[in-house]
């Protein structure tokens, strides 16, 4: 209620004095009570908790179980005194290490992307000019307390919520709070019951554009309006990102397979009279084989690669998972000011000689193309130039005009720049037309007037120029200039003026009228004393020259971006705090409301019937006012969101933005919200992906967002969508690639248990595939180019289009995976057969084979083997199996480049990183077999060279089979084959 | 704030039931009978093809192999040693010389093992020249050299049917693993040493534990069907003061430069260690 109190009441309430301020002691007391004047940062999760989460997330639990089982069996075996007990201890340690290392890796990746953002939240410590102990002091703004007297001037950020007690031409920019782009004047008068609307309060974190003011601090820190909005934002829970949901789904799926196969084979092995201990060891093997240990790390790397790529295109991603979210976005709720528009007033249209001219409103205009030959324009341009108080800050001559900083309000700035572009050096023109008197704009007159000497040395007349609200200007005119000639202003011409005025106003533009009068030389000689208070000069019967209208124009890249969003099936909704008319005009000009579509009101106007009679279904577009929204039920809102494809919400409050976002989410949409102001932050947080503006954005918005557009450009979002869709497709490929070989790792265990053959592949060897040879290739798939134009399809349905669907799992597991297993087993049997153990002798030998006491184990040729000789052969088998999987994974990698197109359409060599992957894969395998083949603990042995080629026919078969699959998918879309084979 | 409110239990049960069998669409586990039929047929054909392919490649691979000798023998370049009888539990002998039951298994194992060395089984075998490698590379039908059981002396089981176990002087046979084409150099012989000096006296049959070179090389099961590997019997006379304790004995093959007996990892390559504990 502080805005209603008088100054003395305020002094009393806060125990302060306007002249002396608080005493330092009292301030310290209040500071101790209220805390510093700063927003409490959102509660951060402790680092250790973040790290621990990485250690138990995803597959880690399964691996921990594996490790614990290993240690249990180690304990039991140790108690039994078995020699091989320590193998299990080591295995457990290795598994634990895998979990911890991948945990550290994921943590590091996350921390890295968080750090980028940390730099954003660092603010330059703000200073405030405070009166304390009757002295003016510079204090850090966070030391301010309630009751402090502060002084602000143009350019300052308001350091707290302040009740103004004296002002001189003070204007504040409230856009970060309300989204309104126009600066608002501030005075000491109580003008409105609502504290948000009243003139005598300035809010924390808004900026003072011009003028000076003094005020009493009435709220600090979290109790300020901004603070309350910020806490509204932190109250909004963080939703799981779509990709996180997908990955969770995938983890459940794989874990489900691992656990059910594990348990199934545990039961089988127990009922096959294996010892419980052995069965447990099998279970560990099955778990390790089933879990793609390296995959989550790979996904993280792929996401961060995309994040890097997006950062290069000015999309900075705060939360890695948000990289994909844009790709699945189906609705973008975009703020208007600054995102869709340039956030600066620009002259858009002119009206003179009974004609409307369009001006260029693009960002980097250097000339204006409209017809400037008419003498009326010469007159108009003179008024625009002279009747203007705005000035360029000095020292910017080398900057493009549009980028120069101007001192002055938004409209005058627009006019100044407009004049500078067309006429050149405005300051020089003004110097030549010396100003002799001036009445600045005020709200009672609604005009601005100045009187100048002319630059024509022969013309000794004074020129009076005036601009202001068009109807007020017209009232003061008796003539109108047409083609440079003054003609009487008759009703016909006044009608023409009205039409033009309405038309420009209807485009959401702010219109100004311009008129002039050459004062007769005889009445107003050189020495005439102009007095602006008594107005001893004519202010009526002037000559009307023209209209200029201004708007905050859309960015030139936006219309294209909006149409791209449309073809990508993304609905763009404008949500703004601005006026409905302006909002609608901008929406039309950027294509959010397309040229042909109509709102209910448009239809009513066209058919000339009341709005109520219009069939609401006919209207594709809707402009919803915040006031209407307030009275709407959730169902009504849902209906609007459902039935209209083109929607603009105007005059919305922060809470309403939140309601709109929630409404969209109720439709099952993945919602992206863009915004820059503090008022946007709750919606940014609520959205599936919040996008903040990097340049204009407030810190609160950036904190709440998942992504920051460094160039504030809506078009960058389209790039983000494209990258997001691509990474989703590529992650599918990565996962399909990785899952495949898990079957080739699992089958050996199952056949080992059932057929009692010597173990074909060791647990450690499996880890070398999962965390060694396979890593770089699966990351390489993230570099794959899109197969088709991903921007021409609809966003994925988050309920149906899963990352890992049935087809992907079945095709990878039951088809390619099985083929790989067959290939690997052929190699395995070949190695054993060529060393003397024919396949028939291997069946059922497990117990004797693994018996340490049997050292004369007979092979198919009558030779006798010691245990160690058998074990060494077994390791050779491991190596052969490993090499075969690696070779076939090369084929798997190549086929995974595409899901539908032929590899030859996609180009075998276009993605160079794939080849890096293939070479790394083979390189690592070579190092492991030949370089580390003598390290016993790793269970690798140098392998005869020809065994590398046993699986090659199977690798070729995999490739050919997949080409056939894709061919049928392309040939017979919608067929049984397509439905079952396309993943 | 969870976006999707949890479904009530009954509803999710109903959904599951719907998934398992959907009476309206006739879907069982999400597929109709026809769809299941098609998919099963597909996998039948697919796996049938893979099985055929596997069988074919295995057949091709087996065609490249000789039935006589394995393609590679590099994994067994040097033979391991093994003993008979081989106790079930590791390599530890426990018996009571006055309790026939306690060593009955050892005796029967030995007897069974020596059956193939019986004279009646060796009628086709020839007497070879002792001390020389018996090279038969050029001969199509490989002959086996005779190994006379009498070489094993008191451990042949002829005089003492219990192989000395009843007298407290148990016999253990040491054999060298068969490896195709192995030609030992020098004068290979078995040498056993107790871990602690003087706990046991060891007798060798044939004397000095000699392994005759004429039994080498071996030509493999199919070519050399009647081959008998040379044996060395050792008879242990355990000192009565150490009968209560285990006696650890290690046997090694010595005297041949190409037979390894000191491998770090393979504890049975050219050597074997076992324990004997005898009670009275």
């Amino acid at each position: 209620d502080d805005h209603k109190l008088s100054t003395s009441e305020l002094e009393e309430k806060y125990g302060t004095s306007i002249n002396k301020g608080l005493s330092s002691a009292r301030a310290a007391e209040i500071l101790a009570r209220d805390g510093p004047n700063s927003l409490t940062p959102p509660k951060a999760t402790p680092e250790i908790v973040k790290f621990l989460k990485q250690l138990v997330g995803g597959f880690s639990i399964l691996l921990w179980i594996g490790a614990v089982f290993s240690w249990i069996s180690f304990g039991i075996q140790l108690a039994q005194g078995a020699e091989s007990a320590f193998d299990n201890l080591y295995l457990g340690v290795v598994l634990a290490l895998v979990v911890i290392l991948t945990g550290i890796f994921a943590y590091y990746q996350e921390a890295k992307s968080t750090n980028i953002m940390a730099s954003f939240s660092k603010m330059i410590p703000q200073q405030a000019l405070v009166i304390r102990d009757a002295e003016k002091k510079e204090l850090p703004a966070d030391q301010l307390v309630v009751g402090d007297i502060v002084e602000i001037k143009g350019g300052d950020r308001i350091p707290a919520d302040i009740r103004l007690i004296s002002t001189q031409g003070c204007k504040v920019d409230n856009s970060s709070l309300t989204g309104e782009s126009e600066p608002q004047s501030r005075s000491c008068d109580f003008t409105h019951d609502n504290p948000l609307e009243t003139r005598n309060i300035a809010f924390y974190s808004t900026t003072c554009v011009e003028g000076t003011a003094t005020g009493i601090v009435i709220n600090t820190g979290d109790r300020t309006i901004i603070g309350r909005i910020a806490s509204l934002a932190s109250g909004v829970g963080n939703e799981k990102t779509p990709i996180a949901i997908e990955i969770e789904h995938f983890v459940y799926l794989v874990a489900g397979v691992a656990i059910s196969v594990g348990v199934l084979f545990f039961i089988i092995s127990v009922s096959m009279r294996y010892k419980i201990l052995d069965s447990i060891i099998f279970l560990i093997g099955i778990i390790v084989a089933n879990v793609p240990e390296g995959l989550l790390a790979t996904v993280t790397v792929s996401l961060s690669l995309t994040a890097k790529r997006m950062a290069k295109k000015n999309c900075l991603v705060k939360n890695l998972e948000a990289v994909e979210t844009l790709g699945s976005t189906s609705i973008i709720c975009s703020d208007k000011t600054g995102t869709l528009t340039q956030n600066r007033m620009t002259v858009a249209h002119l009206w003179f000689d009974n004609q409307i001219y369009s001006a260029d409103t693009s960002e980097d205009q250097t000339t204006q193309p409209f017809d400037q030959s008419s003498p009326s324009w010469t007159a108009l341009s003179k008024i625009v130039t002279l009747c203007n108080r705005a000035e360029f800050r000095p020292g910017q001559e080398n900057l493009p005009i549009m980028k120069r900083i101007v001192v002055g309000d938004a409209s005058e700035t627009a006019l100044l720049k407009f004049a500078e572009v067309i006429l050149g050096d405005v300051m020089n023109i003004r110097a030549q037309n010396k100003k002799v008197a001036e009445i600045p704009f005020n709200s009672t007159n609604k005009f601005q007037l100045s009187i100048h000497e002319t630059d024509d040395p022969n013309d000794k007349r004074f020129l009076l120029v005036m601009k202001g609200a068009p109807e007020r200007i017209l009232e003061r005119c008796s003539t109108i200039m047409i083609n440079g000639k003054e003609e009487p202003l008759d009703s016909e011409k006044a009608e023409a003026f009205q039409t033009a005025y309405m038309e420009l106003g209807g485009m959401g533009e702010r219109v100004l009228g311009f008129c002039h009068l050459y004062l007769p030389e005889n009445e107003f000689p050189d020495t005439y004393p102009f007095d602006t208070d008594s107005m001893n000069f004519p202010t009526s019967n002037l000559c009307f020259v023209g209209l200029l209208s201004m708007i905050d124009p859309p960015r030139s890249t936006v219309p294209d971006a909006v149409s791209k969003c449309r073809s990508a099936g993304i609905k763009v909704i404008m949500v703004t705090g601005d006026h409905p008319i302006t909002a609608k005009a901008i929406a039309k000009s950027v294509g959010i409301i397309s040229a042909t579509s109509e709102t209910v009101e448009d239809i009513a106007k066209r058919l000339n019937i009341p709005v109520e009679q219009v069939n609401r279904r006919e209207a594709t577009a809707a402009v919803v006012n915040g006031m209407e929204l307030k009275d709407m039920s959730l169902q009504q809102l849902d209906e609007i969101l459902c039935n209209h494809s083109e929607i603009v919400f105007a005059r919305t409050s922060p809470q309403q933005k939140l309601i709109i976002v929630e409404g969209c989410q109720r439709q099952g949409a993945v919602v992206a919200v863009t915004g820059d102001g503090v008022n946007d932050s709750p919606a940014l947080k609520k959205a599936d992906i919040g996008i903040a503006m990097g340049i204009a954005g407030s810190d609160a918005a950036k904190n709440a967002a998942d992504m920051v557009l460094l160039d504030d450009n809506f078009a960058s979002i389209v790039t983000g969508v494209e990258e997001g869709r691509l990474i989703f497709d590529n992650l599918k490929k990565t996962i399909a690639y990785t899952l495949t070989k898990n079957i080739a790792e699992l089958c050996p265990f199952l056949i080992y248990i059932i057929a009692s053959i010597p173990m074909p592949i060791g647990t450690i060897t499996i880890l070398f595939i999962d965390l060694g040879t396979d890593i770089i290739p699966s990351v390489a798939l993230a570099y794959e180019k899109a197969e088709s134009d991903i921007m021409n399809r609809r966003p994925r349905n988050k309920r149906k289009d899963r990352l890992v669907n049935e087809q992907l799992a079945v095709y990878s597991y039951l088809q390619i995976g099985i083929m790989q297993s067959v290939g690997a087993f052929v190699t395995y049997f070949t190695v054993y057969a060529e060393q003397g153990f024919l396949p028939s002798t291997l069946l059922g030998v497990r117990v004797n084979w693994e018996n340490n006491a049997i050292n004369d184990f007979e092979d198919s040729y009558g030779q006798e083997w010691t245990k160690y000789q058998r074990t060494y052969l077994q390791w050779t088998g491991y190596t052969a199996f490993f090499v075969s999987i690696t070779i076939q994974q090369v084929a798997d990698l190549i086929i995974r480049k595409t899901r539908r197109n032929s590899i030859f359409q996609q180009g075998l060599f276009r993605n160079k990183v794939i080849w890096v992957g293939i070479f790394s894969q083979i390189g690592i395998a070579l190092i492991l077999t030949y370089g580390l083949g003598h390290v016993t603990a790793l269970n690798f042995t140098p392998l005869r060279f020809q065994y590398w080629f046993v699986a090659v026919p199977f690798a070729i078969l995999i490739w050919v089979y997949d080409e056939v699959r894709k061919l049928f998918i392309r040939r017979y879309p919608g067929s049984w084959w397509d439905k079952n084979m396309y993943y | 704030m969870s976006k999707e409110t949890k479904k009530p239990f009954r509803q999710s049960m109903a959904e599951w039931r719907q998934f398992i069998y959907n009476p309206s669409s006739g879907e069982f586990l999400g597929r109709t009978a026809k769809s299941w039929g098609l998919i099963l047929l597909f996998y039948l054909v697919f796996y049938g093809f893979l099985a055929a392919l596997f069988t074919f490649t295995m057949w091709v691979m087996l065609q490249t192999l000789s039935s006589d000798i394995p393609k590679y023998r590099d994994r067994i370049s040097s033979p391991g040693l093994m003993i008979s009888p081989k106790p079930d539990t590791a390599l530890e002998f426990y018996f009571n010389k006055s309790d026939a039951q306690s060593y009955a298994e050892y005796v029967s194992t030995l007897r069974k093992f020596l059956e193939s060395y019986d004279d009646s089984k060796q009628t086709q075998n020839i007497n070879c020249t002792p001390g020389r490698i018996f090279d038969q590379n050029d001969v199509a039908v490989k002959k086996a050299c005779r190994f006379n059981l009498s070489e094993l002396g008191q451990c042949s089981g002829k005089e003492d049917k219990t192989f000395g176990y009843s007298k407290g002087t148990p016999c253990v046979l040491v054999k060298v693993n068969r490896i195709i084409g192995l030609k030992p150099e020098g004068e290979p012989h078995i040498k056993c040493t107790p871990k602690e000096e003087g706990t046991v006296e060891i007798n060798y049959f044939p004397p000095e534990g000699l392994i005759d070179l004429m039994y080498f090389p071996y030509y493999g099961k199919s070519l050399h069907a009647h081959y008998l590997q040379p044996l060395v019997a050792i008879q242990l006379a355990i000192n009565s003061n150490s009968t209560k304790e285990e006696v650890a004995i290690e046997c090694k093959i010595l005297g041949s430069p190409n037979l390894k007996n000191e491998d770090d990892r393979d504890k049975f390559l050219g050597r074997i260690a076992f324990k004997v504990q005898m009670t009275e």
Side-chain angles (χ1 to χ4, degrees), chain A residues 236-237 239 665 686 688 798 806 810 814-815 818-819 822 825-826 829-830 833-836 838-839 852-856 858-866 868-869 872-873 876 934 936 941-942 944 946-947 954 957 961 976-977 980-981, chain B residues 1 3-4 31 35 38-39 42-43 46-47 49-50 53-54 57-58 61-62 64-82 86 88 90-91 175-180 218 220-221 229 263 265-266 268-269:
Chain A
V236 176
E239 302 290 345
Q665 285 173 338
K686 178 72 201 171
D688 295 284
K798 67 176 177 180
E806 186 196 315
V810 167
L814 297 185
Q815 297 185 30
I818 297 287
M819 285 164 109
V822 172
F825 265 108
V826 168
F829 281 121
T830 308
E834 294 193 340
Q835 290 288 349
L838 297 180
N852 283 320
I854 296 179
N855 281 291
D856 51 354
E858 197 178 317
D859 67 16
S860 312
Y861 294 88
Q863 307 188 92
E864 291 169 319
W865 296 64
T866 65
Y868 184 79
Q869 285 167 338
Y872 196 77
L873 176 59
T876 311
H934 298 286
T936 337
T941 66
R944 282 205 156 71
Q946 69 262 34
Y947 292 137
F954 289 88
L957 178 73
Y961 176 68
W976 177 88
W977 185 272
N980 283 282
M981 295 295 188
Chain B
M1 254 198 308
K3 208 182 306 174
E4 283 159 49
R31 284 178 183 275
S35 167
L38 266 174
I39 203 88
F42 171 80
Y43 278 103
F46 184 78
Y47 289 146
F49 168 73
L50 281 187
L53 186 73
F54 177 73
T57 34
M58 289 296 278
M61 184 269 290
L62 291 176
T64 65
L65 299 180
S66 140
S67 58
D68 301 334
I69 42 167
K71 195 162 178 181
Y72 303 115
R73 294 177 311 235
D74 56 329
R75 290 290 179 262
I76 36 172
S77 51
S78 190
L81 286 193
M82 198 56 200
K86 189 191 79 66
D88 284 342
L91 293 167
K175 64 183 178 98
V176 180
N177 278 353
R178 287 191 297 265
I179 288 176
I180 293 174
Y218 172 51
K221 204 155 83 174
Q229 62 205 113
D263 194 87
R265 294 187 190 132
D266 195 344
F268 293 89
L269 199 66

Side-chain angles (χ1 to χ4, degrees), chain A residues 60-226:
Chain A
S60 304
I61 290 283
L62 274 183
L63 293 179
W64 280 122
I65 293 173
V68 168
F69 278 159
S70 302
W71 289 324
I72 291 175
S73 49
F74 160 70
I76 297 174
Q77 284 184 331
L78 194 68
Q80 288 175 349
E83 273 179 49
S84 58
F86 282 91
D87 289 354
N88 283 316
L89 175 69
Y90 300 145
L91 180 59
V93 171
V94 168
L95 289 180
L97 271 181
V98 166
V99 177
I100 293 169
L101 287 180
T102 48
I104 289 175
F105 179 77
Y107 172 78
Y108 168 73
Q109 281 290 345
E110 205 181 274
K112 219 166 64 174
S113 63
T114 322
N115 275 347
I116 302 173
M117 286 315 298
S119 60
F120 264 110
S121 43
K122 257 182 230 150
M123 282 182 281
I124 309 146
Q126 204 193 330
Q127 297 287 321
L129 193 60
V130 188
I131 302 177
R132 273 197 196 164
D133 305 324
E135 272 176 61
K136 277 191 193 177
K137 287 179 189 172
E138 281 266 315
L139 276 184
D142 60 355
Q143 298 295 313
L144 285 186
V145 296
V146 164
D148 265 331
I149 310 297
V150 291
E151 285 185 8
I152 45 178
K153 57 180 189 308
D156 283 355
R157 227 168 68 135
I158 314 285
D161 281 0
I162 291 169
R163 161 72 157 81
L164 302 174
I165 45 182
S166 71
T167 58
Q168 281 94 40
C170 176
K171 276 191 175 178
V172 291
D173 177 5
N174 270 358
S175 64
S176 77
L177 190 63
T178 60
E180 248 167 324
S181 47
E182 218 168 293
Q184 292 165 345
S185 63
R186 280 292 176 259
S187 65
C188 315
D189 316 319
F190 159 58
T191 54
H192 204 285
D193 265 344
N194 185 344
L196 281 173
E197 305 270 346
T198 185
R199 286 251 174 99
N200 57 1
I201 292 184
F203 297 104
Y204 180 41
S205 94
T206 59
T207 33
C208 176
V209 185
E210 56 179 79
T212 57
T214 311
I216 303 180
V217 174
I218 53 172
N219 283 315
T220 57
D222 290 332
R223 288 168 301 279
T224 57
I225 298 292
I226 288 285

